[in-house]
């Protein structure tokens, strides 16, 4: 694997004891005008207004557009289009040299281009006219909501060694709305895309932890730390939250620097568009406003800190049974457990085993134990409730289907009217009865009730139990998806906040083909893969690369491709899709819970290291250490390894 060469991101704790305290988030003078633009968006211009501006020179604002709150989305878009056309005409006049009889407003715009501006500058600017919807009212609402989670966020970031300033990022992402969804599929407080979220959380039709502020904050801290390890600076780590670390590593290589100002102003990556280019300056603006909120908005009445206690479930249990056992109002339970999806609340699915159920306040251990006593064994199940039928897949037997479904084989046979000699084939439909309860298992001389489960550490032991009316207010205003009027939504021409989201992949690997038609071998790739993706026989590739008959390609080796049948982009697309599926399959049952530092020992190889650490995939170890050449690594070299946990997806 080729070494990165530009910098080796630190692998140790970024805020290790003894380190000089420095401001991790530079505010370069070159970016100051951009920061001021976003401060204006966040504090002066509401969602019934917007700025028509140059998308490169944010200091150039053509006009503040103001809408009637009753205007439809179509009417707003028509107004924006008319304004763009008006200023396009003005710039064409400037390009033609017609600068006589200008109004003071038009003169201001002309002077903004500088005395040296020529016809081409004005023509180019026509394509850069952009509209940004204001966000001041949303930001103010976010400040009110933020207080409910800021203690937990601060505690989590500190535990992970992530700078406290990152706590301001949800202002950019979601305005601290737990139920926020973007049009591109990002969700929750930290606006995780599904593909990125599945590395760190459970995301499926039963549980979506992106919507849980506790799990999502943990995931955001892990993702930020991962980005920092790969990129070496916190400004780049923040930018990678939107753009992905792979794109930022390419920017570092192309420009030969990690200076955020240089990258923002000079990097021309194909996908490094307006949102990615402005993500760091928008974060700096949000940080400034968050720190001095009353300066911008006056006195703010904030929500009380959310107080809850997590309790791990030992079995699959219906949510209404949990509410009765713990004597908690269903509305309060729903507010505190937004990760549970609609099938849970409708009763078609059970709250899964291992889920950390959050209860209001800090009930003592005796109350929790009493609640488990109140919960009948007949309401505690060994498996998830199913849809009632199952289509047999390759390799499955009735015994294996029964085991996965949490029912006995005789019960499965009886539900389908079959005897013990019945066999099934791939594609057959099997009726699945309800899973067995603890009571049913006990009656069959199986193991009895599970051991008592203790509550996890309380979120805020000093606080009193949250009052139900306050929880209901939060449920109505801040947790349930808002029924927002059209006038408060973004127009189609806006591209940042609150729709901004981590759009880049967390995989930093460059799967593109080099200009000379070569690729660098990555983990889990073989010559056979290259043959499939290029439509060329393996032997032809061996001959092209002068490889012996049984020689294998090794990680980090450069391989020459024959691209006579496919384009370089087609090859790269197939290659990326292969790795996407490989990683998606792995993260269907695992999540990253943090990192640890490992010192290379004599005789270690990438494969040995992966096998010795909970059977980590080789490609995952390589992703966490993209600058390490595992074919030539010295004993004592520190590398970063992910801590991976198996998760239950049922």
């Amino acid at each position: 694997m080729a070494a990165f060469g530009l910098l080796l991101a630190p692998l140790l704790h970024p805020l290790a004891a003894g380190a000089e305290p420095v401001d991790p988030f530079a505010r370069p003078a070159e970016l100051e005008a951009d920061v001021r633009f976003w401060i204006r968006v966040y504090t002066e211009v509401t969602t019934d207004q917007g700025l028509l501006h140059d998308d490169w020179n944010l200091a150039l604002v053509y006009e503040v557009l103001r809408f009637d709150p009753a205007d439809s989305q179509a009417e707003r878009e028509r107004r924006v289009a008319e304004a763009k056309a008006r200023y396009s005409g003005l710039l064409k006049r400037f390009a033609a040299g017609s600068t006589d009889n200008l109004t003071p407003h038009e003169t201001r715009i002309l002077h903004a281009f500088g005395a040296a501006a020529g016809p081409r500058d004005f023509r180019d600017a026509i394509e850069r006219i952009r509209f940004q919807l204001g966000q001041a009212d949303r930001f103010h609402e976010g400040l009110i909501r933020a207080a409910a989670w800021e203690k937990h966020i601060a505690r989590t970031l500190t535990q992970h060694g992530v700078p406290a300033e990152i706590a301001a990022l949800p202002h950019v992402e979601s305005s601290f709305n737990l139920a926020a969804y973007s049009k591109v599929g990002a969700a929750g407080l930290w606006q995780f895309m599904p593909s990125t979220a599945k590395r760190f959380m459970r995301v499926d039709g039963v549980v979506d932890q992106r919507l849980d502020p506790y799990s999502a904050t943990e995931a955001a801290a892990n993702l930020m730390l991962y980005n920092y390890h790969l990129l070496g600076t916190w400004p780049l780590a923040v930018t990678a939250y939107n753009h992905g670390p792979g794109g930022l590593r390419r920017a570092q290589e192309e420009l030969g620097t990690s200076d955020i100002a240089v990258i923002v102003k000079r990097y021309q990556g194909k996908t490094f568009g307006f949102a990615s280019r402005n993500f760091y300056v928008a974060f700096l603006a949000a940080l400034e406003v968050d720190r001095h909120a009353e300066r911008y908005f006056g006195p703010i009445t904030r929500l009380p800190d959310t107080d809850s206690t997590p309790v791990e479930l030992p079995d699959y249990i219906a949510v209404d049974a949990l509410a009765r056992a713990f004597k908690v109002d269903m509305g309060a339970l729903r507010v505190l457990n937004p990760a549970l999806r609609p099938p849970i609340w409708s009763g078609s699915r059970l709250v899964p085993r291992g889920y950390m159920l959050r209860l209001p306040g800090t009930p003592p251990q005796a109350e929790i134990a009493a609640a488990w006593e109140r919960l009948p064994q007949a309401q505690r199940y060994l498996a998830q409730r199913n849809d009632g039928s199952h289509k047999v897949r390759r390799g499955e037997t009735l015994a294996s289907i029964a085991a996965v479904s949490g029912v006995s084989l005789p019960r499965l046979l009886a539900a389908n009217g079959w005897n013990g000699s019945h066999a099934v084939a791939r594609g057959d439909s099997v009726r699945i009865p309800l899973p067995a309860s603890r009571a049913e298992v006990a009656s069959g001389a199986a193991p009895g009730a599970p051991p008592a489960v203790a509550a996890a550490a309380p979120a805020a032991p000093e606080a009193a139990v949250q009052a139900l009316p306050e929880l209901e207010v939060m449920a109505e205003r801040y947790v349930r998806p808002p029924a927002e009027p059209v006038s408060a939504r973004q127009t189609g021409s806006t591209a940042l906040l609150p729709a901004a989201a981590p759009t880049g992949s967390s995989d930093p690997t460059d799967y593109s083909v080099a200009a000379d038609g070569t690729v660098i071998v990555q983990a889990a790739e073989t010559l056979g893969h290259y043959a499939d993706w290029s439509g060329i026989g393996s032997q032809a590739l061996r001959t092209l690369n002068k490889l012996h008959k049984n020689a294998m390609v090794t990680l980090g080796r450069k391989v020459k491709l024959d691209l006579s049948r496919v384009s370089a982009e087609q090859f790269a697309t197939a290659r990326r899709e292969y790795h996407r599926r490989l990683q998606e399959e792995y993260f269907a049952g695992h999540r990253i819970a943090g990192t640890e530092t490992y010192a290379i020992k004599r005789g270690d190889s990438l494969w040995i290291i992966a096998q010795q650490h909970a059977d980590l995939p080789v490609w995952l170890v390589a992703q966490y250490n993209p600058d390490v050449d595992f074919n030539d690594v010295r004993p004592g070299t520190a590398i970063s390894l992910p801590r991976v946990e198996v998760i239950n997806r049922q």
Side-chain angles (χ1 to χ4, degrees), residues 27 32 35-36 39 42-44 139-140 143 284-300 302:
R27 188 163 162 174
E32 185 60 28
V35 175
R36 302 310 303 179
I39 290 176
Y42 292 157
T43 63
E44 298 178 17
F139 204 103
H140 182 258
L143 289 168
L284 289 180
L287 183 60
E288 162 76 15
V289 178
D290 183 77
R291 283 173 167 171
H292 307 288
E294 294 197 353
R295 177 193 302 172
Y296 292 102
F297 293 105
I300 297 173
R302 299 174 184 266

Side-chain angles (χ1 to χ4, degrees), residues 21-200:
V22 295
D23 183 357
F25 296 104
R27 188 163 162 174
E30 304 94 311
L31 302 181
E32 185 60 28
D34 298 354
V35 175
R36 302 310 303 179
F37 172 87
W38 287 107
I39 290 176
R40 186 178 181 186
V41 169
Y42 292 157
T43 63
E44 298 178 17
V45 190
T46 72
T47 51
D48 286 325
Q49 304 167 339
L51 303 178
L52 202 67
H53 65 97
D54 185 288
D55 77 353
W56 191 262
N57 175 16
L58 298 188
L60 175 54
V61 174
Y62 294 103
E63 184 180 341
V64 179
L65 297 179
R66 293 175 173 83
F67 306 110
D68 188 313
D71 283 348
S72 66
Q73 185 75 4
E75 174 62 18
R76 287 178 170 227
E77 291 177 353
R78 186 189 65 77
R79 291 273 311 280
V80 171
E82 285 181 350
K84 284 185 175 182
R86 187 166 62 253
Y87 286 101
S88 293
L90 179 64
L91 293 173
K92 288 176 183 177
R93 283 175 53 195
F94 292 165
S98 177
T99 57
D100 296 332
N101 301 318
L102 298 179
T103 67
H105 177 65
E106 292 169 340
T107 301
R108 176 186 67 81
I109 294 172
L110 177 64
H111 289 168
F113 282 87
R120 182 173 180 178
D121 297 309
F122 296 120
R123 286 194 295 268
D124 289 347
I126 293 173
E127 301 301 318
R128 299 199 306 267
I129 300 176
R130 180 183 179 275
F131 175 76
Q132 173 61 48
L133 191 71
Q135 300 294 326
D137 46 345
R138 283 182 174 169
F139 204 103
H140 182 258
E141 292 170 0
L143 289 168
I144 295 171
R145 288 189 287 258
W149 315 109
E150 57 190 9
K151 285 185 180 179
H152 167 73
I153 291 174
R155 185 164 50 244
T156 301
L157 296 179
T158 298
Q159 289 169 350
H160 285 74
V162 175
E165 290 87 344
I166 295 295
L169 191 60
H171 284 300
V172 179
E173 289 291 355
S174 66
S175 298
F176 280 87
N177 182 354
L178 303 189
Y181 277 92
S182 81
K183 60 185 178 182
V184 295
L189 194 71
W190 295 90
Q191 286 291 280
F192 271 93
M193 294 291 285
S195 58
T196 302
K198 288 176 181 178
R199 287 181 168 243
F200 305 98

